[in-house]
Amino acid sequence: MTTPTLERPITPVADPIATAVADVDGWPEAASETMAEAPAKTKELVIVDWSGDLDKIWPVLILSSTAAASGVRCRVFVTFWGLLPFVKDEKRIVGENWMQKMLTLMQRPGIDHLKLSKMNFLGMGPWMMGTLRKQYNVASPRELLEAATALGVEFIPCQMTMDMFGLKREDLIDEMGEPAGAATAIEIMTEADASLFI
Amino acid sequence: MTLQITQTLDARGLSCPMPIVKTAQAIKTIPSGGLIEVLATDPGSVKDFAAWSRTTGNELVEQTTDSGVFRFVLRRK
């Protein structure tokens, strides 16, 4: 019977847990790398602004300016009736043919000429709303639009609506972004943290 | 200890969302770590400033109320 001999001398282990952890393949190096590589993603909000009514443009502008003020990237895809409030002030009747001209004759474009979706009463409703707004010191759609663009809210006009309404890029306010289509809307909506259709 | 306020923003009389919008614009003009004091009368601003502080990471250092005027002190991130 022979005495067993050790093939290599035993070296003292400083920290058995650290050694065990180091033995696990790809950890913790890989884990800490992934954590370091993923910076906090900026939150994103996308609003599809479809309605041109005062009572719907208002929340669009309140939410978009507040989002931008909160460090949330906000993009507004402006389509159909939603486009008319974004026509420049000096433009009264826009369009190429009589039908398009008729449209803006019936619904005056621009941010200061909005109608209510209910209780419009030939302009009595919006007038009363404007009086209440001043009484309670609520910001007007114009003030909110200025704040939104100053804070970096991106407004994207819908190319198809522009064509159908006969609107040219120069008819719209300068702060509007480049016109785009439905695929762009879908892309930004699916990538955003929240999206709304107003 | 009194806080060293860098800037004061008077948002009294303004309603939602202007106190927040004006604070967001004003806080950009002070250095990181600086303090901004905001005065508001909108009762909704109490919840809104707490929410805004959480969303943006600008710390809400102090909050007081004095006869209908809400005072918020925020530290720029």
Side-chain angles (χ1 to χ4, degrees):
Chain A
M1 198 176 159
T2 53
T3 322
T5 51
L6 290 163
E7 280 174 9
R8 55 192 167 101
I10 300 166
T11 46
V13 176
D15 184 351
I17 296 168
T19 317
V21 161
D23 284 345
V24 178
D25 190 37
W27 198 85
E29 293 82 8
S32 58
E33 255 173 49
T34 353
M35 277 188 272
E37 272 172 19
K41 185 185 168 280
T42 307
K43 286 181 184 170
E44 287 187 27
L45 170 70
V46 170
I47 302 175
V48 177
D49 174 22
W50 170 83
S51 169
D53 294 329
L54 170 65
D55 43 0
K56 291 178 186 173
I57 285 281
W58 225 330
V60 165
L61 294 171
I62 289 171
L63 292 174
S64 59
S65 56
T66 307
S70 305
V72 175
R73 183 182 185 193
C74 183
R75 281 174 287 183
V76 182
F77 184 75
V78 188
T79 186
F80 227 89
W81 304 117
L83 261 182
L84 293 177
F86 291 90
V87 170
K88 282 176 185 159
D89 291 331
E90 63 268 26
K91 305 274 178 184
R92 177 63 188 85
I93 292 168
V94 284
E96 309 272 286
N97 59 45
W98 70 269
M99 280 182 285
Q100 292 165 339
K101 287 187 170 87
M102 193 72 146
L103 192 78
T104 46
L105 185 72
M106 307 276 282
Q107 168 61 65
R108 185 170 178 180
I111 196 73
D112 297 322
H113 307 283
L114 306 170
K115 288 178 178 171
L116 281 172
S117 67
K118 55 164 76 175
M119 299 195 281
N120 193 57
F121 300 133
L122 298 165
M124 265 300 274
W127 176 82
M128 283 195 282
M129 207 53 85
T131 309
L132 287 171
R133 176 187 76 67
K134 283 178 202 130
Q135 202 175 328
Y136 291 92
N137 217 359
V138 174
S140 70
R142 171 171 294 278
E143 289 170 275
L144 289 164
L145 177 59
E146 279 162 11
T149 50
L151 287 161
V153 174
E154 302 158 64
F155 292 94
I156 306 160
C158 166
Q159 180 69 64
M160 181 275 276
T161 310
M162 286 172 67
D163 293 344
M164 201 171 68
F165 287 3
L167 292 168
K168 291 186 283 296
R169 180 62 191 84
E170 58 266 30
D171 292 331
L172 302 171
I173 58 166
D174 298 332
E175 292 84 354
M176 292 295 267
E178 281 304 304
T184 303
I186 294 297
E187 187 195 18
I188 61 175
M189 283 166 87
T190 49
E191 281 177 357
D193 297 280
S195 53
L196 301 166
F197 186 99
I198 303 178
Chain B
M1 193 195 93
T2 43
L3 296 165
Q4 288 297 307
I5 309 288
T6 315
Q7 203 189 325
T8 298
L9 173 72
D10 187 1
R12 286 176 295 179
L14 298 177
S15 47
C16 174
M18 294 320 275
I20 291 286
V21 167
K22 289 200 181 292
T23 303
Q25 286 171 325
I27 208 165
K28 285 182 191 153
T29 64
I30 66 166
S32 179
L35 296 172
I36 187 167
E37 175 188 52
V38 186
L39 303 174
T41 45
D42 171 24
S45 64
V46 176
K47 270 193 169 296
D48 268 17
F49 273 91
W52 186 77
S53 160
R54 286 191 296 269
T55 320
T56 58
N58 297 305
E59 187 197 348
L60 182 57
V61 182
E62 205 177 276
Q63 188 194 313
T64 51
T65 312
D66 183 22
S67 55
V69 177
F70 305 101
R71 179 175 166 272
F72 306 94
V73 177
L74 297 134
R75 179 178 283 117
R76 187 180 176 182
K77 192 171 65 170

